[in-house]
Structures are given as structure tokens and as C-alpha cells.
Amino acid sequence: MNHKRSSILFQQAKAVIPGGVNSPVRAFKSVGADPLFIKKASGCTIYDEDDNCFVDYVGSWGPMIIGHCHPDIIKTVQDTMTSGASFGAPTERETVLANMVIDAVPSIEMVRMVSSGTEATMSAIRLARGYTGRDKIMKFSGCYHGHSDALLVKAGSGAATFGVPDSPGVPADFAKHTLTAEFNSLESVRVLIANHKEAIACIIVEPVAGNMGTVPPREGFLEGLREICTNEGIVLIFDEVMSGFRVAYGGAQELYGVTPDMTTLGKIIGGGLPVGAFGGTREIMEKLSPSGGVYQAGTLSGNPLAMSAGIATLNILKQPGFYASLEEKSRAVAEGISKAARNAGYPIYSTRVGSMFCAFFNKNEVYDWPTASQCDTKAFAKYFLAMLEEGVYLAPSQFETAFVSAAHTEKDIEKTITAATKCFKLIA
Ligand code: HOZ
């Protein structure tokens, strides 16, 4: 496969953009290759600048649940654009999308729109601190909640991929307020709470961890967090930027039947345009400025284009059978890859929740960051590059999630499994 033009574009980008990319994992650094520069996409197919085409399992890292360039999204964005891209003033669409989110997500009685997932989590944390009057927060190692100072502690995604889970530039004085427990271990949570009595404002968790690969919650974990937070007066925040409207219309909280106090969203609710949101109980949300004193603002918050794309996307997701059909496709592809590995005699540990899945290059169970970090990342890199050559575009890191969209067809899934069969044999 020829990557000539992508390589030239990457050299040009490196001269003017740090590392040649505007978000680190995109650089393909951990798989030892140059990134592909993407020219266009349609459905679940992406085309690079050398006119190679790939079945896409990145889906813009989650938003493209209905596939790229869906006609409803194109139409609504074009129509909205003709009336103006941004006003910095309220529009009706913001209330429409807010109501759709409130109807869908069990924990949300009020919601504030922002422009990214990072902004959503950062603001939710500030609000939880303002609401409780406490400073400390708790997160889980390997979970990633965007790149704000307080949350770049033992972080997943690119931070884990590049070995900088605690980033330089985060003052120790800020990081000292962030406590880190182990995902799926209520015991580690209890120990930290015992050592910081009445000092913890919130526990933030990805209910389905998606930034250390895909790690499902063990039975009782989310329920246990709910109980602990209720007993200790701690705000429970589900970071559903990835899992929201992805693993079910109402997110992981609907799937597992556990209702947090606050929820952060992003990705899907913007239909591929930049968006984020955080919401929760009326009591907490009314502490937010201008109804309350906790400050948060944004010039492009509630942006008309993003609101329109979000509304159109949710209208499609609401259609009967959408999630059942996506579940079936996702099961077929994840099980197919897992079987291909088994047949090649190559041990992987396979996880999936709805249309989020991961092939861990690990023969043992992966249930937290210490177990995820044991994966054979060199073997993953070989697999990734071989799959790319076969026309399958996966996330360029072991510590990310693969996303299936409604646009993936049986033929795409077959192509993926055939490719995996060949690639596992190659590396076995
Ligand atoms: N934080 C994203 C992965 N979990 C990467 C975003 C991007 O590079 O676009």
C-alpha cells in the first residue's frame, strides 16, 4: 500500500504543528509508523490522501455511530449554516437538544452544553467541588477524562500510550488533590475514603472504561460506587463522553441501572461536530452560574451547527431497533476477531460492551490498568500495521477502543474478520 502523500503531508505538518498532529494518539507513534492523512469518508469507509480505503473502527474516536456523512447530518448542518454559524446568544436548538438529553439520560435533570469532553469533565469537577465545598477528587488509574490539570493523573488514552500518565506542567499542588483508585476495586476506593474523611467532593469514573482499551465494570462495581457516594456525601460523576448514547440510548447508566449524580457527555451528541455537555440533578446544576456562583462559560457553547447535528443524530438513534442491530454487528465483528486469534493459536483477551470492543494482546483477564498495562504492545503494533495493509483502520494504540457504527455492513465485517485471520497468523 502506498502512503507517499500521507508521509509528505506529515513532514509538512511536523514543521508547524507539534508532532505533526493536533491530538497525540493520532501520530501513530506507539505503532512505529507515520499517520495516514484522511481525505474523505463515507459510511464506515475512510479514504486517505493516497486514495487507499479502509473499514473504519475509529469513527472519529466515537462520535460517528451512524457512519460518516449521513445525509440527515449533511442536510441539517447545511441548512443551519445558511442562517449563521454562531451568535454567542441563546437559540431554540439548545433547548431542544437539552430536552432530548434529559429524556434519555436517567441522571440528568438539567444540562449545560460546552465544546468538548475535556471542558465537560473539567466543569463538572468544579461544580462538584463548589456544591460540596470539598477539594479532593477521586479518579481511577487508566481512566481518561480529558486533559485538564486535575484529571491528568494516572490517565489513560494518549497519556498512557506515551507513558506520561502524570504530565509535566501539572503543578504538584494541583495534582495532590486528585486521589487515584483502581478500576473495579471498591476496596481501593474505601481505603482512600477512610484516609480522607469528608474531604472528597466527587468520584469520577468511565462506567465502561474506554481509554485503557475497553474494560467493562465488574458486577457490583458501579452499584458499590453508588452506595459509597450516597453514604459519604460524595458526588458520583459518570464520564459518559464515550459510552453516552453509545452502549445504550441512555448510556451505561441505563445499561447497568445505576444512576450517578452527574454525567458528562460529548462525541455522539455533536454528531461529529465539536461538543460536550455536563448535567445532573437540578439541585447540583442550579449552583452553576448565572443561577448559582460556580463559574463556567464558552463563546461556542451550544453552537448551532453542533446542536443541529446532535439533534439529527439522536433522532436516528431513537428509531426502534437501532441498538439491537448495532449490538448484532458488534457481536459478530468482536467474536470474529477473537475466533481468528484463537484459530491462529494467538492468545488475546477480548472485551466488548455494545459497539465498543477491544482485543487485548494479553492471555489473562484485563479488568483494570495494572492488568491492561501488561499487554504485549509490540505485538499489537505489528497487528495494527498488518490490519492497515489489509484495509482495516483501527485505533493506533492498544489502549483505545474500537467503535462499530450502523454503517458497517456484513461485507465490511467479513472483510475485517478475514483480515484478522491473516494478520494473527502472520504474527503468531
Ligand atoms: N482522546 C482520544 C482518544 N481516546 C483521542 C482524540 C483524538 O486524537 O482525536
Side-chain angles (χ1 to χ4, degrees):
M1 204 176 267
N2 169 19
H3 301 304
K4 226 165 149 186
R5 193 163 152 70
S6 274
S7 295
I8 293 168
L9 290 172
F10 188 44
Q11 294 313 318
Q12 291 172 354
K14 277 201 287 192
V16 288
I17 301 171
V21 288
N22 282 312
S23 188
V25 204
R26 295 179 196 180
F28 279 32
K29 212 169 163 183
S30 71
V31 291
D34 285 356
L36 299 184
F37 274 58
I38 305 303
K39 183 153 80 179
K40 61 176 186 180
S42 172
C44 72
T45 310
I46 52 167
Y47 300 82
D48 69 10
E49 289 282 356
D50 293 283
D51 291 324
N52 302 305
C53 70
F54 305 88
V55 182
D56 180 21
Y57 289 97
V58 176
S60 186
W61 305 90
M64 312 315 298
I65 190 166
I66 55 173
H68 298 274
C69 292
H70 190 288
D72 290 9
I73 307 299
I74 294 175
K75 178 162 184 351
T76 193
V77 171
Q78 281 175 343
D79 288 352
T80 305
M81 189 66 200
T82 58
S83 331
S86 178
F87 313 114
T91 62
E92 189 180 356
R93 286 186 197 89
E94 293 160 67
T95 315
V96 173
L97 187 56
N99 273 312
M100 291 177 94
V101 168
I102 289 165
D103 288 347
V105 185
S107 65
I108 300 188
E109 292 174 353
M110 295 188 96
V111 62
R112 168 71 53 94
M113 299 293 168
V114 291
S115 297
S116 71
T118 290
E119 220 187 313
T121 52
M122 177 185 88
S123 310
I125 297 266
R126 182 179 303 141
L127 183 53
R129 282 174 162 155
Y131 173 74
T132 56
R134 299 172 177 179
D135 285 343
K136 302 250 178 257
I137 63 168
M138 194 190 298
K139 71 178 285 291
F140 295 88
S141 51
C143 281
Y144 177 75
H145 308 285
H147 60 88
S148 68
D149 284 348
L151 293 165
L152 265 192
V153 178
K154 299 208 174 137
S157 190
T161 302
F162 298 125
V164 282
D166 307 294
S167 170
V170 175
D173 273 356
F174 293 3
K176 76 176 185 208
H177 290 301
T178 304
L179 310 170
T180 319
E182 292 305 340
F183 193 74
N184 275 325
S185 164
L186 290 174
E187 194 41 39
S188 69
V189 173
R190 288 194 191 101
V191 168
L192 288 171
I193 291 178
N195 292 336
H196 298 89
K197 263 298 186 210
E198 288 178 25
I200 301 170
C202 63
I203 294 180
I204 184 165
V205 65
E206 295 177 76
V208 176
N211 285 287
M212 50 172 149
T214 313
V215 183
R218 280 179 161 170
E219 212 182 313
F221 177 59
L222 299 175
E223 292 82 347
L225 289 181
R226 179 62 281 175
E227 196 185 328
I228 291 170
C229 286
T230 303
N231 293 342
E232 300 290 335
I234 295 170
V235 174
L236 179 60
I237 306 175
F238 277 7
D239 179 351
E240 298 228 44
V241 168
M242 206 179 257
S243 59
F245 294 92
R246 165 64 65 180
V247 297
Y249 189 66
Q253 54 200 273
E254 177 193 309
L255 187 68
Y256 295 106
V258 177
T259 306
D261 303 298
M262 293 184 73
T263 300
T264 57
L265 295 166
K267 300 193 190 276
I268 287 174
I269 60 158
L273 276 84
V275 91
F278 61 105
T281 62
R282 187 170 295 276
E283 187 187 332
I284 296 176
M285 292 305 289
E286 279 187 335
K287 296 278 183 281
L288 197 61
S289 184
S291 47
V294 177
Y295 199 73
Q296 184 279 327
T299 299
L300 291 170
S301 294
N303 175 262
L305 300 171
M307 296 299 101
S308 301
I311 293 164
T313 301
L314 266 46
N315 274 329
I316 291 166
L317 303 187
K318 262 171 40 182
Q319 287 166 11
F322 180 91
Y323 286 93
S325 149
L326 189 59
E327 170 74 19
E328 191 39 44
K329 289 173 193 218
S330 309
R331 187 197 56 72
V333 70
E335 283 183 11
I337 291 175
S338 179
K339 193 168 160 208
R342 244 189 346 267
N343 289 347
Y346 196 90
I348 61 162
Y349 183 76
S350 181
T351 57
R352 181 179 73 85
V353 179
S355 54
M356 296 169 63
F357 76 91
C358 182
F360 284 108
F361 280 63
N362 193 330
K363 56 183 183 310
N364 301 314
E365 186 191 355
V366 173
Y367 53 88
D368 60 6
W369 174 243
T371 49
S373 64
Q374 297 303 309
C375 289
D376 185 346
T377 51
K378 287 200 175 76
F380 170 83
K382 277 192 205 152
Y383 169 74
F384 168 84
L385 293 171
M387 287 292 271
L388 205 60
E389 282 302 301
E390 294 299 317
V392 179
Y393 187 78
L394 300 167
S397 164
Q398 170 72 95
F399 305 122
E400 297 288 350
T401 285
F403 297 100
V404 186
S405 79
H408 285 82
T409 63
E410 240 174 71
K411 207 165 145 220
D412 297 312
I413 293 170
E414 240 175 70
K415 177 177 170 176
T416 307
I417 296 169
T418 307
T421 304
K422 194 165 163 191
C423 295
F424 279 119
K425 278 188 189 147
L426 210 73
I427 63 167

